[in-house]
């Protein structure tokens, strides 16, 4: 007799999902991928790195000759082409920290830097999530501060690929109103914000989870808006700066 599965925990009221199918963002990601020769996954990761870096301060060089600014994202590593791991989060995948120097970069250059950094990150492997969570808790307790976890990206391609081609301002403007915002409950994840992207030929379906003890719901809505604005700007301007202005 097969034992009954353990009951799933009830969704936490502090963790929320914000689903959004953004047609303009999908067109823009494909256009930047076509221009840079990198994958749409790398383009989306670079956009998250840019948003993360825009919210941090500059870091002085050790030798005192200048300063730089880093952005980071946890990339969820798994073999998405195998049916048993297509929707994997844990334990069939792991978060791999990826840190990128954004100093002096256009967005196109940031995409290339993110591609190189992600290869280095996957080669190095991920930090043990439980040990990392315990370390962050210890540091927060000792220093009396609350540390915001690095954003996580779970890019999940399906059987058909996202179109990779140029786009126009008119096409992006026509697609923008088709984005829909609605909130649902969510099972918690370790990151304060965690973005899943389900991708196929029909476009990208984003699902942003936030810990509302760290970020209010309106922050999450502004975050997805900023992500879409940055990618649309980069799709139309090859010299678009890497760091956006956050509202």
């Amino acid at each position: 007799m097969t034992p009954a599965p353990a009951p799933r925990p009830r969704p936490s009221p502090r963790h929320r999902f914000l689903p959004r199918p953004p047609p303009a963002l999908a067109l823009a990601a494909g256009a930047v991928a076509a221009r840079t020769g990198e994958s749409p996954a790398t383009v989306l990761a670079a956009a998250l790195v840019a948003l993360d870096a825009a919210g941090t301060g500059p870091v002085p060089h050790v030798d005192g000759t200048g300063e730089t600014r880093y952005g980071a994202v946890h990339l969820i590593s798994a073999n998405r082409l195998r049916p048993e791991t297509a929707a994997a989060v844990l334990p069939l995948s792991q978060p791999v920290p990826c840190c990128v120097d954004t100093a002096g970069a256009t967005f196109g250059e940031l995409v290339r830097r993110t591609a190189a950094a992600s290869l280095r990150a996957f080669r190095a492997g991920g930090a043990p999530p439980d040990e990392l969570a315990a370390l962050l808790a210890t540091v927060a307790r000792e220093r009396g501060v609350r540390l915001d976890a690095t954003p996580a990206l779970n890019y999940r391609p399906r059987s058909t690929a996202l179109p990779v081609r140029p786009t126009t301002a008119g096409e992006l403007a026509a697609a923008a109103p088709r984005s829909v915002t609605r909130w649902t409950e969510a099972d918690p994840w370790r990151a304060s914000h965690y973005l899943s992207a389900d991708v196929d030929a029909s476009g990208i379906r984003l699902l942003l989870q936030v810990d509302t003890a760290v970020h209010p719901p309106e922050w999450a809505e502004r975050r997805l808006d900023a992500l879409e604005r940055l990618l649309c700007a980069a799709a139309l301007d090859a010299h678009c700066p890497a760091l956006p202005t956050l509202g």
Side-chain angles (χ1 to χ4, degrees):
M1 180 177 179
T2 303
R8 290 175 57 86
R10 294 180 61 83
S12 167
R14 63 180 268 191
H15 294 90
R16 303 289 301 280
F17 269 159
L18 177 60
R20 183 182 291 183
L25 182 146
L27 290 169
V32 176
R35 182 192 303 139
T36 60
E38 302 294 347
S39 69
T42 300
V43 171
L44 190 55
L48 292 178
V49 164
L51 293 181
D52 185 62
T56 65
V59 178
H61 290 159
V62 176
D63 59 9
T65 58
E67 59 187 26
T68 189
R69 187 175 296 208
Y70 288 95
V73 62
H74 270 109
L75 302 175
I76 307 302
S77 172
N79 182 353
R80 301 295 179 202
L81 300 182
R82 296 170 55 190
E84 65 271 25
T85 60
V89 176
L90 288 176
L92 298 177
S93 61
Q94 64 174 337
V96 177
C98 178
C99 186
V100 187
D101 183 358
T102 66
T106 63
F107 187 77
E109 173 60 24
L110 181 61
V111 170
R112 287 183 279 272
R113 292 183 189 181
T114 301
S118 64
L119 288 177
R120 293 193 298 270
F122 286 130
R123 184 181 303 156
D130 292 334
E131 295 179 19
L132 181 60
L135 178 61
L136 288 173
T138 299
V139 173
R141 184 173 60 253
E142 291 178 350
R143 299 186 182 182
V145 297
R146 184 177 65 192
L147 300 178
D148 186 8
T150 301
L153 170 63
N154 191 21
Y155 188 90
R156 307 191 293 194
R158 300 309 184 187
S159 57
T160 55
L162 181 76
V164 174
R165 61 172 178 79
T167 188
T168 65
E171 190 175 28
L172 292 175
R178 299 205 301 272
S179 290
V180 178
T181 298
R182 61 185 176 86
W183 282 97
T184 63
E185 292 184 331
D187 293 327
W189 175 251
R190 290 184 176 90
S192 63
H193 50 301
Y194 176 88
L195 184 68
S196 289
D198 285 290
V199 183
D200 59 22
S202 66
I204 298 177
R205 290 165 300 285
L206 297 179
L207 192 63
L208 177 64
Q209 179 183 296
V210 295
D211 180 350
T212 58
V214 179
H215 298 299
E218 56 269 20
W219 176 93
E221 296 178 16
R222 291 197 303 269
R223 202 70 172 181
L224 288 186
D225 290 342
L227 186 70
E228 185 165 334
R229 285 197 306 270
L230 173 60
L231 285 173
C232 287
L236 299 176
D237 180 6
H239 302 290
C240 173
L243 295 187
T245 300
L246 297 180

